[in-house]
Amino acid sequence: MVSCSEKGRTERVLTVCPYCGTGCGLYLVVEDGRITGVEPDSLHPVNEGELCIKGYFGYQYIEDDRRLRSPLIKKDGKFTPVSWDEALNFAAARLAKIKQESGPDAFALFASARATNEENYVAQKFARAVMGTNNVDHCARL
Amino acid sequence: MFNRFVIANPDRCLGCYTCMAACVVNHQKQGFQAYPRLFVTYSPAGTMPVQCHHCEDAPCALVCPVKAIEIKDQMVKLNEGLCIGCKMCALACPFGAITIQGAPPPSVQAEPTSLLSSLLAWLAGHKTIGIKCDLCDFDEEGPQCVRVCPTKALQLVEGGDVERWSKLKRAGAVTGAVAIFKGAEG
Amino acid sequence: MTNSVPEIGQYSDVIFIIGSNTAECHPLIARQVIKAKERGAKLIVADPRLTEMANKADIWLRVPAGYNISLINGLLHIIVKENLYNSDFVQNHAEGFDEVARAVEDYTPAYVEKLTGIPQQDLVEAARFFGRAKNATILYCMGVTQFSYGTGNVVSLSNLAVVTGNMGRPGTGVNPLRGQNNVQGACDMGCLSNVLPGYLAVTDEKNRARFEKEWHVRLPSKPGLRIPEIGDAILNGRVRAAYVFGENPVMSDPDSSHLRHAFEHLDLLVVQDIFLTETARLAHVVLPAACWGEKEGTFTNTERRVQRVRKAVNPPGEARDDWWIFSALAQKMDYGRMNYLHPQEIWDEVRRLVPEKFGGISYDRLEKARGISWPCPAEDHPGTPFLYEGGKFATASGKANLRPVFFDPTRLPEEKVKQFKHALAGKITELPDEEYPFTLTTGRRGYHYHTGTMTRKSWPITQVTPQQLIEINPRDARKLGIEDGDFVKLSTRRGSIAAKAWVTERVPEKTVFTSFHFWEANVNELTINSTDPVACIPEFKVAAAKVEKITPAEFQAILQEKKKKYLVDLEEEVAGQSKSGRREAHV
């Protein structure tokens, strides 16, 4: 199933499964800049060289055509691709206005159990240090 | 010669479907129908995937009207290119291990002349054919379901295995008999 | 988890799984259980459903959904009565044993059988296995926590572990199996409304000072809103702007129609995600994020093991790492202390601020190790695979606190609570009645993941498991004239969904089960937003429901309704707009 092809450049990148909390070790097989398969990490103490259906086959979404490729702003009820600058300026101006009018606690952040530690740290720092609220929570609550 | 087949140990099977997805991917890569050839089956008695037993006197091969199923290389092979989708094999199979599924495999599109006339096809360009386990005989790594199973519940049984197990069971039977007679003496 | 996963396979000789469908939701932890079993360990499973673990159990306790406390108190009753508790441990490492012993007096096997239907003999046998074990471990999951008295359930389990002395050694402990790759990490990093990174309470001035110094701002001292409270806060005007990243609450939150309705009233909804999820479709601004495999960083698994995740390919188009987006937005809002260049810089800031837990976990060390479990205060510290070694607990007295827990399905046993110090109690919010005669319980299936955003876009998975199924017991099905594969409509007071029926003994009579993986039939339109007073976790696991057989035409009509409701076509439409720009080569 996962065989490294002879032609082209093949790399194996060691990482951790993105699905449940077990945290199995696995290698992403990368050929010519595309992920073509997954191999279990036999040295990982938790999964010891085995994976489940999601670990082996749950990576195809990465290359799905429906991935978001550009910031979008809803204009007249229709999503319109915009530049990062425009999207961030739009969000920043609205957030600042709401904070000024209704105070920091008029903002709430849903953080992510799917993103990295670093990203979650930065997210809560944004809520607490930039917006000035403790309204930050995520689905660990659920 | 002995036949070969894959069988699962329900004490280990987690019912996680990894085997089924591996089966789909491996066959799709080979240009075969992208459908699973084994089926995780729940029952209060236990759970395991069910697949072809590659019977020595295979009823599916006997009823196939176009000889799409033949017994060779110690297994029962279904030629997806020859199959006419008559469903007889699925009805005859005692394990329910053959399904009839419907997208045209790339291999068939490439060789349309190899097809016998398909009277049962009901939609142009979309015919149903029999799908069954082929032990991944195109793959030198062997059956992928066996390879990916996280609890190693699946194994490929070959002739020598059955003989070895039988020897073990006979040895066990002797131990049991000895105990009975010793008990009778005592 | 208090302990690490490999310890299960290596050391545990009794494994008690409760409220966890381990085989489907954590297959590689279930593998450790199978390993232990093959070594001779005994397996006890408490679950209303005949899950694969229940099927393999030496003793299966078919507890009705919601009755965990009665069951656990019943086990404690037998353990106390038959002197199976660890008196040394209870004396030297715990407080409150006498209270708990007195509290479980009423929970005789006969009483528990009357309440739950669990045969007395099974309960006694399970208690003896657990009480006599050398190393007994408890594995639990959402079937313990997702109740309006989830905290009580967890406290009961810790009572059981402490009373039998199964803490602080390999192969023991109270082990929640966390559902998401980094749910542990998101909590560790302070993405909770009451704590800063490292679980430092926001209400404590000293804690705030630690972060204020590094962040150069004054920090708010009042705990914030918790997710189940946000819907109402939006509708009554307290919250006007919401920012959602990497979460799909319109699908995953209880009584989701209510939250969706609230989101439509926001002045600003920013959604940052990898797909135009059901939630993103409601947004004013959508920010495209890089996903797993496209970025560097760390995840922390259920064992507290911090592990490196690495970049393999470039993100598509203009998609960016989540940390980059937050940093860029902070700069636009004139905050200058978030100018990061690499995740390692961010992690080093965490290590600096919370050295007692993460100080010793450097990227350099993670390069070589297969993860390090926190607490790990120094670079030469090996990490902590299991907590509370030698019975030293993280309480003021250093001893484990035992607390009595009471349960009555119909009314809160308040008079009991008054008789004890620090007692907890629970009742089921919505019991079945004449109109809604079934108990609806919810969960995941092995092959899909949560709201399906990722797994439903991975074709080998959808190829083997394409659709939603509603599990119903054969006896109930017969009474309602439902055959396996018929379409059924499932309703609660909050809404209804339709899907095919799976007629199976997996669910007990008068109980139905389904998942939240499919927008076509999302069970969270039906669940109840009744929350635990301590943890604010909603009662996903019990609601009163009714089941009706419907025709394929009726099913189609409901499906079209859902398609409109979740703006399903919008995703394809937006994807069509930006199909240009193929993925660049890997660097």
Side-chain angles (χ1 to χ4, degrees):
Chain A
M1 177 228 34
V2 180
S3 55
C4 302
S5 93
E6 305 277 298
K7 59 176 190 297
R9 204 155 56 101
T10 302
E11 263 186 276
R12 291 158 82 246
V13 179
L14 181 62
T15 188
V16 175
C17 180
Y19 284 101
C20 78
T22 309
C24 298
L26 57 81
Y27 287 93
L28 287 171
V29 181
V30 185
E31 292 174 80
D32 300 324
R34 295 184 59 230
I35 296 170
T36 54
V38 163
E39 289 174 10
D41 175 10
S42 56
L43 297 179
H44 200 282
V46 172
N47 58 304
E48 300 174 307
E50 306 292 344
L51 289 172
C52 78
I53 181 169
K54 296 189 290 292
Y56 269 120
F57 306 110
Y59 67 89
Q60 262 97 350
Y61 71 90
I62 296 175
E63 292 226 335
D64 193 280
D65 273 351
R66 288 162 287 185
R67 278 290 299 281
L68 292 169
R69 298 168 163 272
S70 151
L72 305 167
I73 293 181
K74 210 178 253 166
K75 295 180 177 170
D76 302 323
K78 217 171 139 52
F79 280 119
T80 314
V82 295
S83 68
W84 271 108
D85 224 32
E86 186 179 343
L88 293 172
N89 283 336
F90 177 89
R94 291 258 204 133
L95 287 172
K97 183 165 173 276
I98 289 170
K99 183 179 171 182
Q100 201 195 2
E101 287 170 2
S102 308
D105 289 337
F107 173 80
L109 176 74
F110 290 65
S112 176
R114 316 286 288 136
T116 63
N117 285 324
E118 291 76 1
E119 289 163 339
N120 277 293
Y121 172 80
V122 173
Q124 60 85 35
K125 185 173 174 182
F126 178 82
R128 293 189 163 114
V130 182
M131 296 306 295
T133 179
N134 281 317
N135 287 346
V136 49
D137 212 15
H138 76 287
C139 60
R141 187 74 66 194
L142 307 182
Chain B
M1 289 300 260
F2 299 94
N3 64 343
R4 301 178 295 153
F5 55 92
V6 171
I7 194 157
N9 174 357
D11 283 344
R12 285 190 173 182
C13 175
L14 301 173
C16 72
Y17 282 65
T18 312
C19 50
M20 285 174 69
C23 180
V24 169
V25 170
N26 211 31
H27 286 87
Q28 188 261 359
K29 273 190 185 169
Q30 205 62 28
F32 292 121
Q33 291 271 339
Y35 289 101
R37 286 127 210 275
L38 75 176
F39 308 92
V40 172
T41 305
Y42 293 101
S43 100
T47 289
M48 59 186 238
V50 175
Q51 63 281 79
C52 174
H53 283 243
H54 298 276
C55 311
E56 293 199 2
D57 190 16
C60 56
L62 290 176
V63 297
C64 180
V66 293
K67 301 276 176 273
I69 303 178
E70 56 177 341
I71 301 169
K72 69 171 189 192
D73 304 335
Q74 302 156 268
M75 60 186 280
V76 177
K77 283 191 174 175
L78 187 153
N79 184 332
E80 292 184 7
L82 291 178
C83 172
I84 56 169
C86 74
K87 306 175 182 68
M88 293 300 285
C89 54
L91 291 171
C93 176
F95 299 99
I98 303 181
T99 55
I100 309 290
Q101 298 286 5
S107 57
V108 173
Q109 285 175 327
E111 302 171 48
T113 47
S114 70
L115 278 173
L116 294 174
S117 77
S118 170
L119 296 173
L120 291 167
W122 58 276
L123 189 68
H126 184 94
K127 67 191 282 293
T128 55
I129 59 171
I131 308 284
K132 71 176 282 300
C133 166
D134 54 12
L135 299 174
C136 295
D137 68 334
F138 49 82
D139 188 335
E140 55 191 41
E141 284 182 330
Q144 284 303 308
C145 51
V146 174
R147 210 176 76 88
V148 300
C149 176
T151 56
K152 296 290 165 267
L154 286 148
Q155 61 176 318
L156 178 65
V157 180
E158 294 179 278
D161 292 328
V162 177
E163 187 48 34
R164 208 163 43 248
W165 293 346
S166 295
K167 270 187 184 160
L168 277 173
K169 283 189 219 162
R170 284 196 288 267
V174 171
T175 318
V178 169
I180 288 169
F181 285 110
K182 281 228 165 112
E185 280 166 22
Chain C
M1 288 170 67
T2 57
N3 290 58
S4 75
V5 170
E7 292 169 29
I8 302 167
Q10 235 175 318
Y11 300 108
S12 306
D13 55 6
V14 168
I15 298 156
F16 178 31
I17 300 180
I18 176 165
S20 156
N21 182 1
T22 322
E24 287 193 64
C25 301
H26 298 89
L28 275 298
I29 295 179
R31 177 177 164 274
Q32 295 283 345
V33 176
I34 303 264
K35 231 171 117 175
K37 266 203 91 178
E38 292 186 350
R39 187 169 45 70
K42 295 284 180 213
L43 175 63
I44 307 165
V45 175
D47 204 298
R49 291 169 72 219
L50 180 59
T51 61
E52 263 337 288
M53 291 337 275
N55 217 337
K56 290 174 173 50
D58 295 285
I59 305 171
W60 172 36
L61 307 169
R62 192 168 214 172
V63 59
Y67 288 68
N68 290 333
I69 293 171
S70 322
L71 162 73
I72 302 160
N73 278 351
L75 293 173
L76 279 166
H77 174 95
I78 298 158
I79 284 167
V80 170
K81 197 132 232 174
E82 300 195 1
N83 258 325
L84 296 170
Y85 61 93
N86 185 329
S87 50
D88 272 358
F89 199 86
V90 163
Q91 214 153 50
N92 301 318
H93 303 290
E95 285 167 343
F97 173 70
D98 294 339
E99 298 245 295
V100 168
R102 191 155 61 83
V104 299
E105 252 169 37
D106 297 343
Y107 288 82
T108 61
Y111 175 63
V112 175
E113 177 171 343
K114 201 176 125 220
L115 215 56
T116 65
I118 295 169
Q120 297 182 38
Q121 195 45 47
D122 290 354
L123 193 74
V124 171
E125 208 182 331
R128 287 178 185 160
F129 272 142
F130 198 92
R132 288 173 185 159
K134 213 167 115 226
N135 297 310
T137 185
I138 299 170
L139 309 182
Y140 74 90
C141 201
M142 297 314 197
V144 160
T145 56
Q146 287 178 337
F147 295 97
S148 57
Y149 44 92
T151 307
N153 282 330
V154 176
V155 168
S156 315
L157 288 176
S158 91
N159 287 346
L160 181 63
V162 169
V163 161
T164 52
N166 282 302
M167 280 286 208
R169 277 178 290 113
T172 64
V174 181
N175 297 296
L177 309 181
R178 308 210 66 167
Q180 288 143 319
N181 58 325
N182 201 32
V183 66
Q184 181 68 49
C187 295
D188 299 347
M189 293 303 108
C191 285
L192 295 170
S193 57
N194 57 336
V195 290
L196 289 154
Y199 302 95
L200 298 164
V202 295
T203 47
D204 187 324
E205 203 183 320
K206 279 202 300 295
N207 293 340
R208 291 199 306 277
R210 197 197 284 203
F211 290 85
E212 284 168 347
K213 221 171 102 196
E214 174 91 28
W215 294 355
H216 289 209
V217 286
R218 291 281 294 163
L219 289 174
S221 59
K222 194 177 76 155
L225 291 167
R226 301 175 289 189
I227 283 182
E229 299 166 337
I230 289 176
D232 283 338
I234 294 170
L235 289 173
N236 66 29
R238 279 171 64 203
V239 168
R240 292 177 55 203
Y243 196 130
V244 180
F245 94 98
E247 200 165 299
N248 192 6
V250 160
M251 290 283 288
S252 63
D253 285 27
D255 191 7
S256 58
S257 301
H258 177 72
L259 186 73
R260 173 192 182 80
H261 172 70
F263 273 5
E264 286 166 352
H265 282 75
L266 281 166
D267 290 331
L268 178 65
L269 175 60
V270 184
V271 175
Q272 180 170 313
D273 214 308
I274 64 174
F275 289 106
L276 195 71
T277 60
E278 287 78 1
T279 307
R281 290 166 211 163
L282 307 175
H284 300 97
V285 191
V286 177
L287 305 174
C291 75
W292 172 79
E294 298 168 345
K295 60 188 183 187
E296 304 281 340
T298 55
F299 288 163
T300 306
N301 79 348
T302 186
E303 320 160 282
R304 295 166 281 106
R305 188 192 297 266
V306 180
Q307 311 193 80
R308 270 288 264 125
V309 288
R310 294 181 178 86
K311 177 173 173 168
V313 294
N314 284 328
E318 291 287 307
R320 295 278 189 275
D321 290 12
D322 290 297
W323 63 264
W324 180 92
I325 303 172
F326 282 114
S327 301
L329 188 59
Q331 283 167 51
K332 294 268 183 205
M333 297 183 74
D334 303 321
Y335 180 70
R337 307 281 300 174
M338 270 170 71
N339 307 337
Y340 304 108
L341 293 172
H342 189 275
Q344 183 168 358
E345 247 182 282
I346 305 169
W347 183 248
D348 285 340
E349 184 174 319
V350 175
R351 289 172 60 209
R352 208 159 53 233
L353 282 163
V354 196
E356 64 273 34
K357 287 198 168 66
F358 312 113
I361 307 177
S362 65
Y363 267 43
D364 271 357
R365 281 182 81 188
L366 291 178
E367 235 14 84
K368 289 162 228 134
R370 294 298 197 268
I372 300 168
S373 294
W374 65 257
C376 176
E379 295 243 13
D380 56 0
H381 188 286
T384 312
F386 64 91
L387 299 172
Y388 317 129
E389 187 163 10
K392 286 192 200 73
F393 291 89
T395 54
S397 62
K399 291 183 174 188
N401 295 331
L402 300 176
R403 295 174 71 179
V405 188
F406 297 100
F407 172 79
D408 189 317
T410 51
R411 45 177 278 280
L412 215 55
E414 279 170 28
E415 69 290 351
K416 281 272 184 203
V417 173
K418 275 187 208 133
Q419 292 168 30
F420 293 87
K421 249 195 311 186
H422 313 302
L424 288 162
K427 79 178 212 3
I428 292 171
T429 309
E430 192 182 66
L431 280 166
D433 55 23
E434 229 167 86
E435 201 190 344
Y436 295 96
F438 284 86
T439 296
L440 166 66
T441 189
T442 73
R444 275 175 45 200
R445 297 202 182 280
Y447 30 83
H448 275 301
Y449 190 81
H450 283 218
T451 68
T453 309
M454 288 153 63
T455 48
R456 291 195 69 191
K457 292 186 174 82
S458 296
W459 73 267
I461 297 178
T462 53
Q463 192 71 1
V464 295
T465 58
Q467 60 181 336
Q468 179 71 296
L469 295 169
I470 294 170
E471 293 179 20
I472 181 166
N473 186 279
R475 281 167 185 255
D476 295 322
R478 208 171 308 129
K479 277 182 224 155
L480 293 166
I482 295 165
E483 284 190 46
D484 191 60
D486 280 352
F487 288 107
V488 292
K489 184 163 126 183
L490 178 63
S491 321
T492 65
R493 288 184 177 81
R494 287 145 307 274
S496 48
I497 60 171
K500 277 187 176 172
W502 177 9
V503 178
T504 172
E505 288 91 351
R506 279 162 68 93
V507 281
E509 271 184 77
K510 286 279 172 259
T511 297
V512 286
F513 170 90
T514 193
S515 73
F516 60 114
H517 304 312
F518 298 86
W519 59 262
E520 292 90 334
N522 175 16
V523 77
N524 281 331
E525 290 182 34
L526 313 184
T527 47
I528 187 166
N529 193 4
S530 155
T531 56
D532 180 272
V534 184
C536 200
I537 190 167
E539 191 147 286
F540 284 105
K541 291 291 188 248
V542 207
K546 69 176 166 198
V547 184
E548 299 154 88
K549 183 175 166 171
I550 56 170
T551 65
E554 286 169 310
F555 170 77
Q556 275 304 328
I558 295 173
L559 188 63
Q560 291 313 315
E561 245 173 66
K562 303 291 183 198
K563 207 171 167 185
K564 250 195 240 154
K565 177 171 179 179
Y566 288 107
L567 308 168
V568 171
D569 294 334
L570 200 54
E571 187 175 20
E572 293 289 345
E573 205 182 297
V574 168
Q577 280 174 12
S578 61
K579 244 184 198 145
S580 58
R582 293 294 313 166
R583 176 177 294 265
E584 301 82 31
H586 171 60
V587 274

